[in-house]
Structures are given as structure tokens and as C-alpha cells.
Amino acid sequence: MTVEATTERVLRLLALLQRRLSWTAAELAAELGVSGRCVRRDVQRLRALGYPVHAVSGVGGGYRLGAGTRLPPLLLDDEEAIATAVSLRLASGGTIAGASEAALRALAKLDQVMPSRLRAEVRAVHGSTDTLIGPVAEIDAELLVTLARACRDGVRVRFHYAGRDAGEQERTVEYAGRDAGEQERTVEPIRMVTTGRRWYLMAWDADRADWRTFRLDRMRAAVATTWRFPARDHPDPVSFVQRSVTGAPYRYLARVRVHARPERLREVIPAQVGRVEEDRDGWSVLVVGGDSLDWLAAHLARLDHEMEVLEPPGLREAAGRLARRLAGLAGATSEPGAR
């Protein structure tokens, strides 16, 4: 067998080891079309090149690729290469400080080595796609890592948190208090949740003895302590943060029955805008917040479904005012100045 064929087979072996956590020797031999003895020799070749291929004990034995001192070359198939390139392009306009530049650098490296046929497909996707992104709150990558490690290790975190005078007030459905200025908070972090535009941390507030939602872009000087906290029962982080961002920051919280299945309604109501709850007989309950009842009525009227206001009662009055204005608009003549 030629050196070129051996090199190609070793690279295929490396690609297989990157594809999933572990392989038996028999599985690798079948994928490569060689004997088990040949697989063992190729594993030794990878180890000699510095790749930590570990033997897996147990019935049948096997191998897995461990973490080494340097990144091995990523061997991507066509679909993986296209998905990676498109994801890097999206990340270049993301919310993590410094990640945009890093994503562009990685995309440039990938573009340089990508086969021309795949490069053309990726550029076709980029050239045919625009991204509609509103204002985003950029956060520091180091803060993200600090909080992620604290969630993983179960240790408390201290940070300064901006109050009402620095932007929006941190509030949740369960907590409607107001802080002024910037305060030091000590929390037991559970999980981070992103809506695409903003990042949030769900944590147990040690001083307030309750669950809270914190915006990462309003944190400063976050430090992970060595205080390990015991595990406690907690709400579902995604549902908890959704309740916070869709209702708590607003003056009014509306509940409206909508004649549509929940899955149909969720297609037009983003999770960060409103919460959709299942009702009965093909109806759903939409929970959405706003600082103006007239604004809420106007936006709810855009839904092409039969609706019934559950609360607050003032929303019915706002809907009535909107209906009278629309009726007047529909009945107006085309003559300028006509009444």
C-alpha cells in the first residue's frame, strides 16, 4: 500500500474519531474497510503525531479522541463545512464582544481551504440572504465564561448590577421591586438564556431569598467565589426568563384568549414578545405586556384570529376606542376635508 493511501486512511480515521464520542475497533475496521490490526497501527500513527487517542475498556474495546495540547485539524464533510461557514457568518453579527472579529477570522481560514464547489454554495447562501437584526446588547466574552463556569461548578457569583437610572429595571413576575443606581448582588447561578438580542441569567438571589432574572449587559465586575451552594429545586430556566422578559418589565400585562392552536400562534408570536399557553377547544391564551393599553390593542388587532380579552378590563375599552377610530376611517369619504 502506498504512503498516500495510508495517509488518506489515517485522516479518515481521525475524521471518524471526531464524529462521535467512542468507537469499537470492529466498527472502525468496518468503516475503513481494513482489519483490526490495521486500525491499531493507524491509532499508533495518530498518537505519534500528537493526537491523544485513548483506549476504551469494556466489552469489545474501542477508542475515543481525547483533549490534547493543540487543536487537531477538523475534517468536515460537505454538509458540516457549509453549516459551519453559515454559522460563522451569523456569529459575525452577534452579541458577544470580540466574537464578531474572531468569527470573521475563522471564516476567512475556512474559506481559504474550502473546495471551490463548496465555496460557491456558501457564497450563494450569503449572497441571497439578509439578516434583520434590531439593536443588540453586546456583552463581554469573559463575563459569559465566568458565569458559565459558575453554573457548571455550582459556585456563587458577585457582581454590580445597574438599576433603574442606568436603563431598564430588573424585574420578574414574582418580584416587582425597584432598585436605584447600581447595587452589589450575590447569586447562585443556574443557567443562562438568550433571546437572540439579549442574554439573561436565572439565579437564586442570596440577599432576597428568591429567584431572579438578570441581564448580562447590565452586569459589571462579576467574580466567581469559592462558595459552593447546594442544589435546590428551581423553575424551568427558559420558562422563567420568558415570563420575565414578556411581562415583568411592562406597566400592563394582558391575557387574551385567541381562537388558534398554540403551535399556530407561536409561529407569529416570538418567545421574547409573548407567552402562549394552551387553553381548550382549539383556543390558546396569549400573555403579552406593554406600557400602553392602546398600543396593546393595536398590536393584538393585527392577529388574524378571533379573540377575547380576559384581563385587564381596560384593554376592552382601548379596543373599543380603536374600533371606533377604524370605523371612522373606513367610513370616511375620499373628498379632502369631508366630514
Side-chain angles (χ1 to χ4, degrees):
M1 183 172 289
T2 65
V3 174
E4 291 80 4
T6 301
T7 302
E8 180 182 356
R9 190 182 64 248
V10 171
L11 288 174
R12 286 180 57 201
L13 173 61
L14 180 59
L16 290 173
L17 291 172
Q18 290 175 343
R19 187 183 300 175
R20 75 186 201 200
L21 184 61
S22 65
W23 294 80
T24 67
E27 288 173 333
L28 289 173
E31 288 283 341
L32 297 172
V34 297
S35 65
R37 182 179 179 182
C38 186
V39 169
R40 289 192 293 273
R41 285 200 302 264
D42 288 345
V43 166
Q44 291 300 324
R45 292 186 176 101
L46 285 177
R47 289 170 176 167
L49 292 172
Y51 301 119
V53 182
H54 302 308
V56 178
S57 59
V59 178
Y63 301 97
R64 66 178 177 85
L65 186 63
T69 57
R70 59 193 177 98
L71 287 174
L74 291 177
L75 305 178
L76 306 176
D77 61 28
D78 290 3
E79 291 183 354
E80 292 170 341
I82 294 174
T84 301
V86 172
S87 298
L88 286 171
R89 175 66 69 181
L90 293 175
S92 65
T95 59
I96 310 301
S100 298
E101 294 80 3
L104 288 175
R105 291 197 304 270
L107 183 60
K109 293 177 181 178
L110 184 61
D111 187 75
Q112 185 176 8
V113 299
M114 188 178 290
S116 58
R117 57 186 174 80
L118 295 184
R119 190 184 302 119
E121 292 185 10
V122 171
R123 289 179 178 175
V125 173
H126 292 164
S128 305
T129 306
D130 289 318
T131 304
L132 181 61
I133 300 178
V136 297
E138 191 174 72
I139 63 172
D140 183 63
E142 185 176 349
L143 170 63
L144 194 67
V145 173
T146 297
L147 296 177
R149 288 174 177 168
C151 290
R152 179 196 64 191
D153 299 337
V155 296
R156 285 186 173 182
V157 176
R158 287 196 305 268
F159 53 85
H160 294 282
Y161 197 67
R164 184 74 176 184
D165 59 352
E168 296 180 32
Q169 175 61 28
E170 174 262 335
R171 298 172 64 182
T172 65
V173 171
E174 292 77 10
Y175 175 67
R178 296 175 181 267
D179 294 335
E182 189 176 84
Q183 294 186 353
E184 184 175 84
R185 313 294 282 267
T186 300
V187 305
E188 299 174 358
I190 299 299
R191 198 166 186 83
M192 290 182 289
V193 177
T194 178
T195 64
R197 293 179 61 248
R198 292 194 178 104
W199 288 74
Y200 297 86
L201 173 71
M202 191 196 92
W204 176 264
D205 192 315
D207 297 321
R208 291 157 179 78
D210 202 357
W211 296 106
R212 295 288 184 270
T213 298
F214 301 93
R215 271 177 47 179
L216 268 63
D217 60 296
R218 292 174 54 197
M219 295 181 184
R220 187 177 63 83
V223 177
T225 71
T226 57
W227 181 288
R228 292 188 177 274
F229 57 87
R232 67 174 81 234
D233 292 335
H234 59 77
D236 175 69
V238 173
S239 299
F240 187 85
V241 171
Q242 186 187 26
R243 286 197 301 271
S244 175
V245 301
T246 58
Y250 300 105
R251 181 180 179 186
Y252 299 103
L253 188 64
R255 292 177 56 85
V256 181
R257 289 189 76 223
V258 183
H259 195 189
R261 297 294 304 167
E263 57 272 16
R264 177 75 179 275
L265 201 54
R266 291 188 182 106
E267 293 177 357
V268 295
I269 304 293
Q272 66 269 28
V273 172
R275 188 170 75 253
V276 178
E277 301 172 351
E278 188 169 1
D279 196 40
R280 63 183 184 278
D281 300 327
W283 289 70
S284 303
V285 174
L286 172 62
V287 182
V288 61
D291 291 325
S292 165
L293 290 176
D294 290 329
W295 181 91
L296 279 170
H299 280 265
L300 287 169
R302 298 171 62 185
L303 294 176
D304 190 21
H305 298 288
E306 181 183 352
M307 285 176 283
E308 173 191 350
V309 174
L310 300 179
E311 57 180 279
L315 182 57
R316 298 190 188 94
E317 300 173 4
R321 291 193 295 271
L322 176 63
R324 288 190 292 272
R325 288 197 296 271
L326 292 176
L329 180 63
T333 67
S334 58
E335 298 179 6
R339 299 291 181 186

